[in-house]
């Protein structure tokens, strides 16, 4: 038998290990009769054999049935070999985020009933470093060159496996079988490696000859080797609710959320993560979660119990002291001079806390009714700030520089020592995929020709502009004003808020920080849930400012405000 010629024996052909190898697609009858007159092993052995099947399946590609090669994680959570990706097609009507991979898409093998939306962007598919490593671990433990060599009849140690799988070009499923010499785990791994055992095999039956105790030892060795790879690099415990980053690294979902509070870099490779605002919509890594659930069910259960208790005990993130003053924005600095007694006290307490955070909310000057809060003294949406610099003056006043982390909505509030404390809920952006589909939908509804025409005339409604065009509109305005020496773009201002951003994500926060429009207008940004929505708001300001009557007035207000 020529083992190198794998291609001639795909999973949907009959295994060459079968002694009666002459018929490529055995009929149901012949296989059943083969099984019926054989001696079936005891029930614990059967149980073990089905465990072996479940374990081996953990590293199989659902497309080619072989061990996953360069595993690629799809946005729906499924994983396949990079080489097993469906055909790629061009995606249209999308300009943000930028990237060659974002222009390519494909139709997924899985559909609605499997929890997949059907269409994916190649840019959302990422390598899976941990899974790749686990497949290697399986190979290191289970690849035994002497296993599964041709099984001579009467071999003392070996097994026969029978299953129902796809019958190649035939639509109906067929019964297949293989006779393998050596142990169950090694033998099954060998079959999978050769692509001869279907991923979707059903009615799998084993007939084992020889002792099982060595098998159990090997299973324990495999488990141990796999377990050694499954510690989260942040908390050093078994990964809980595995979340895989775009760079391919896997951590507990909770650990990623915690890391993202202080940094936007991957804890493993220090690459930028870009997922803070889409955290909640990131899918679980199904394959890794399956591996843990199959091999370590008790550990997974006790780990999630412990985490649930911890979560119930530590609730500090959702309760924050509120500074009622002006508008603060995410990623941007806020400069405060604290002189009121209640806020002096509040800031002292913030500085004594572990994370040095507080919530900044605007005064509700117009006395507008806030959802669930009535006519509260402050506006409902705010920004969490972390103190970067704190200078306590001898008379008790303080000077503070803080940076905006993320936005929130106040759900309820109470008063402690004259200042407000709020129960807050984080405001996050929609996922990148949703962001893209909104752009594609809005631009196609509102004319459709906007992507092909380069000019962004004043007549073009903001709705129909691509996300990149909206960004460019703001950028062009800022550059023009900069060239004209606008006071609000003074080097002093750029020193405080940073240079003109080149990222659409960053632009609205920066623009709103430097542009002299009222805080009431800027407040609209705080409740938005997409980059496109924010770019539309700031583009609206630009259009207003550029219109004739606004320009004269704003020139006056711009010069007078600085
Ligand atoms: Zn594959
Ligand atoms: Zn999918
Ligand atoms: Zn962790
Ligand atoms: Zn990474």
């Amino acid at each position: 038998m020529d083992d190198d010629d794998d291609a001639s024996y795909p999973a949907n052909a009959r295994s060459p290990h079968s002694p009666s190898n002459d018929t490529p697609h055995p009929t149901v009858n012949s296989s059943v009769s083969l099984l019926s007159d054989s001696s079936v092993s005891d029930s614990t052995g059967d149980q073990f054999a089905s465990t072996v099947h479940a374990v081996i399946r953990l590293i199989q590609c659902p497309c080619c049935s072989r061990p996953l090669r360069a595993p690629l994680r799809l946005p729906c959570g499924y994983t396949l070999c990079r080489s097993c990706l469906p055909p790629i097609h061009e995606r249209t009507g999308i300009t943000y985020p930028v990237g060659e991979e974002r222009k390519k898409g494909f139709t997924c093998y899985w559909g609605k009933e499997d929890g997949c939306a059907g269409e994916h962007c190649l840019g959302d598919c990422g390598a899976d470093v941990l899974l790749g490593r686990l497949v290697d671990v399986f190979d290191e433990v289970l690849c035994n060159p002497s296993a599964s060599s041709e099984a001579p009849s009467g071999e003392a140690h070996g097994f026969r496996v029978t299953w129902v799988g796809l019958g190649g070009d035939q639509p109906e499923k067929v019964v297949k079988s293989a006779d393998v010499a050596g142990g169950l785990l090694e033998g099954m791994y060998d079959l999978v490696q050769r692509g001869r055992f279907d991923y979707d095999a059903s009615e799998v039956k084993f007939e084992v000859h020889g002792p099982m105790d060595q098998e159990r030892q090997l299973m324990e060795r495999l488990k141990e080797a796999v377990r050694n790879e499954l510690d989260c690099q942040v908390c050093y415990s078994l990964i809980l609710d595995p979340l895989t980053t775009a760079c391919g690294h896997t951590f507990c979902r909770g650990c990623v959320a915690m890391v993202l509070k202080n940094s936007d870099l991957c804890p493993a490779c220090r690459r930028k993560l870009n997922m803070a605002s889409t955290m909640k919509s990131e899918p679980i890594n199904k394959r890794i979660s399956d591996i843990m659930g199959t091999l370590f069910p008790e550990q997974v259960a006790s780990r999630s119990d412990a985490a649930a208790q911890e979560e119930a005990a530590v609730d500090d993130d959702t309760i924050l002291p509120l500074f009622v003053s002006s508008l603060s924005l995410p990623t941007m600095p806020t400069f405060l001079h604290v002189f009121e007694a209640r806020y002096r006290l509040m800031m002292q307490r913030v500085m004594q806390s572990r994370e040095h955070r507080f919530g900044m909310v605007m005064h509700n000057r117009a006395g507008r009714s806030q959802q669930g809060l009535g006519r509260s003294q402050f506006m409902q949406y705010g920004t969490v700030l972390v103190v970067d610099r704190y200078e306590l003056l001898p008379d008790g006043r303080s000077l503070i520089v803080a940076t905006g982390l993320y936005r929130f909505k106040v759900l309820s509030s109470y008063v402690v020592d004259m200042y407000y404390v709020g129960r807050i809920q984080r405001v996050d952006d929609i996922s990148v995929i949703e962001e893209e589909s909104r752009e594609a939908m809005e631009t196609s509804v509102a004319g459709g020709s906007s992507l092909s025409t380069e000019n962004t005339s004043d007549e073009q409604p903001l709705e129909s502009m691509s996300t990149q065009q909206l960004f460019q509109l703001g950028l062009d305005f800022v550059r023009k004003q900069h060239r004209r020496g606008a006071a609000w773009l003074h080097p002093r201002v750029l020193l405080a808020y940073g240079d003109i951003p080149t990222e659409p994500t960053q632009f609205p926060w920066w623009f709103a920080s430097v542009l002299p429009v009222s805080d009431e207008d800027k407040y609209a940004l705080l409740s938005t849930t997409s980059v496109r929505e924010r770019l539309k708001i700031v583009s609206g300001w630009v259009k207003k400012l550029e219109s004739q009557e606004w320009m004269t007035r704003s020139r006056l207000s711009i010069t007078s405000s600085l």
Side-chain angles (χ1 to χ4, degrees):
M1 188 198 66
D2 183 9
D3 274 352
D4 296 323
D5 192 13
D6 274 352
S8 60
Y9 295 111
N12 51 23
R14 193 177 195 195
S15 167
H17 296 294
S18 165
S20 51
N21 205 8
D22 41 352
T23 46
H25 298 297
T27 65
V28 173
N29 286 340
S30 69
S31 263
V32 168
S33 68
L34 271 174
L35 196 76
S36 61
D37 54 39
S38 60
S39 58
V40 179
S41 50
D42 61 275
S43 65
T44 51
D46 275 356
Q47 216 171 18
F48 184 74
S50 69
T51 306
V52 167
H53 173 221
V55 168
I56 286 294
R57 196 167 183 270
L58 294 171
I59 48 115
Q60 270 188 290
C61 169
C63 304
C64 67
S65 292
R66 293 169 193 256
L68 286 157
R69 282 165 298 178
L72 203 64
R73 201 176 28 85
L74 307 188
C76 53
Y78 287 98
T79 301
L80 37 77
C81 311
R82 182 170 277 276
S83 52
C84 290
L85 262 188
I88 304 291
H89 58 74
E90 184 94 1
R91 302 170 80 221
T92 51
I94 290 155
T95 66
Y96 170 84
V98 186
E100 273 313 301
E101 303 249 292
R102 297 223 68 83
K103 293 188 189 138
K104 296 173 188 160
F106 60 88
T107 308
C108 189
Y109 292 119
W110 292 277
K112 289 240 156 48
E113 63 276 13
D114 306 302
C116 171
E119 284 293 319
H120 296 310
C121 165
L122 191 59
D124 290 328
C125 302
D128 192 327
V129 176
L130 176 57
L131 187 55
R133 175 68 198 131
L134 294 178
V135 176
D136 287 347
V137 166
F138 268 69
D139 193 71
E140 283 158 22
V141 178
L142 300 181
C143 187
N144 178 353
S146 66
S148 191
S149 55
E150 217 169 325
S153 50
E155 170 70 53
H157 188 201
F159 65 94
R160 156 168 285 211
V161 55
T162 316
W163 71 97
V164 174
L166 281 178
D169 44 348
Q170 302 169 14
E172 68 273 15
K173 293 190 167 185
V174 294
V175 175
K176 307 177 190 181
S177 69
D179 285 299
V180 184
L184 259 181
L185 269 165
E186 291 169 334
M188 284 304 288
Y189 182 72
D190 185 76
L191 283 178
V192 166
Q193 235 185 352
R194 289 162 203 266
R196 282 164 198 160
F197 186 76
D198 302 72
Y199 175 75
D200 286 321
S202 56
E203 296 173 49
V204 181
K205 293 190 181 76
F206 290 92
E207 217 183 299
V208 185
H209 323 285
M212 295 287 275
D213 36 333
Q214 271 190 356
E215 283 297 326
R216 293 181 205 278
Q217 278 171 23
L218 188 61
M219 180 69 95
E220 285 314 308
R221 252 208 289 147
L222 176 68
K223 279 187 174 181
E224 201 187 313
V226 169
R227 179 63 188 83
N228 286 339
E229 305 292 332
L230 290 177
D231 276 343
C232 166
Q233 306 245 324
V234 176
C235 66
Y236 301 104
S237 312
L238 181 69
I239 299 170
L240 179 72
D241 196 359
L243 189 80
T244 303
T245 61
C247 45
H249 296 111
T250 304
F251 311 94
C252 315
R253 183 180 300 266
C255 287
V256 178
M258 194 184 72
V259 164
L260 285 174
K261 281 186 189 171
N262 299 304
S263 147
D264 59 351
L265 302 178
C266 169
C269 68
R270 313 301 294 164
R271 261 176 280 197
K272 207 161 185 278
L273 283 177
N274 280 334
M275 65 197 298
S277 57
T278 57
M279 255 304 289
K280 271 181 238 148
S281 55
E282 294 288 330
I284 188 170
N285 188 321
K286 265 197 191 108
R287 193 57 88 104
I288 290 184
S289 155
D290 284 352
I291 290 176
M292 295 195 300
T294 306
L295 294 176
F296 316 106
E298 291 91 1
Q299 287 185 48
V300 171
S302 72
R303 180 88 171 81
S304 52
D305 283 356
Q309 280 173 11
E310 251 172 63
E311 226 163 81
V314 187
D315 207 12
D316 59 352
D317 193 28
T318 54
I319 302 285
L320 266 191
L322 300 177
F323 201 116
V324 182
S325 171
S326 53
L327 183 88
S328 287
L329 296 166
T331 74
M332 287 291 136
T334 295
F335 307 91
L336 291 171
H337 174 198
V338 182
F339 50 86
E340 274 184 73
R342 53 179 173 161
Y343 290 128
R344 287 187 202 177
L345 177 63
M346 186 187 108
M347 289 316 302
Q348 280 169 23
R349 287 177 180 162
V350 166
M351 292 317 291
Q352 282 159 9
S353 71
R354 194 164 47 93
E355 295 191 301
H356 298 176
R357 291 171 184 212
F358 61 99
M360 177 63 95
V361 283
M362 263 169 65
H363 272 294
N364 184 5
R365 290 205 177 81
R368 290 200 186 89
S369 179
Q370 304 295 302
Q371 193 194 358
L373 303 173
R375 294 185 200 286
S376 58
Q377 289 203 357
F378 52 86
M379 302 296 277
Q380 181 147 45
Y381 289 93
T383 300
V384 172
L385 299 182
V386 60
V387 178
D388 297 322
R389 280 216 308 273
Y390 177 73
E391 191 186 337
L392 184 62
L393 303 175
D395 60 4
R397 290 178 300 136
S398 56
L399 298 174
I400 289 171
V401 183
T403 303
L405 294 175
Y406 57 88
R407 294 165 290 143
F408 63 83
K409 179 183 182 180
V410 181
L411 301 176
S412 60
S413 72
Y414 51 91
V415 175
V416 173
D417 294 327
M418 310 283 285
Y419 62 83
Y420 285 101
V421 171
R423 193 166 63 81
I424 63 162
Q425 183 181 54
R426 193 178 160 125
V427 175
D428 279 317
D429 275 358
I430 53 177
S431 69
V432 163
I433 279 287
E434 263 180 88
E435 173 101 41
E436 288 176 333
S437 73
R438 275 196 202 174
E439 177 183 8
M441 198 185 66
E442 289 183 14
T443 51
S444 73
V445 166
S449 60
S450 61
L451 282 169
S452 50
T453 56
E454 281 300 306
N455 76 31
T456 55
S457 72
D458 289 346
E459 272 65 59
Q460 190 174 9
L462 296 176
E463 284 290 318
S464 74
M465 290 171 70
S466 76
T467 305
Q468 281 300 333
Q469 283 173 329
L470 290 167
F471 171 49
Q472 201 58 48
L473 184 92
L475 206 56
D476 289 347
F477 175 76
V478 169
R479 288 187 175 144
K480 198 166 68 192
Q481 293 290 321
H482 191 234
R483 278 196 301 275
R484 287 180 185 173
W488 54 279
L489 290 168
H490 189 277
R492 227 177 29 235
V493 175
L494 298 188
L495 198 67
Y497 295 97
D499 274 330
I500 305 169
T502 52
E503 273 288 308
T505 346
Q506 185 67 16
F507 186 78
W509 306 134
W510 178 89
F511 190 49
S513 298
V514 300
L515 190 73
V517 301
S518 75
D519 276 2
E520 321 297 315
D521 282 342
K522 295 174 183 177
Y523 179 72
L525 291 175
L526 287 183
S527 56
T528 57
T529 55
S530 77
V531 175
R532 181 171 171 80
E533 205 179 338
R534 288 192 285 280
L535 285 170
K536 281 198 289 194
I537 292 174
V538 301
S539 296
W541 301 341
V542 169
K543 287 213 167 187
K544 264 191 188 172
L545 288 169
E546 280 190 328
S547 69
Q548 216 52 47
E549 65 274 28
W550 265 80
M551 211 51 217
T552 20
R553 253 200 294 161
S554 61
R555 267 213 201 96
L556 290 173
S557 74
I558 285 167
T559 37
S560 65
S561 74
L562 281 158

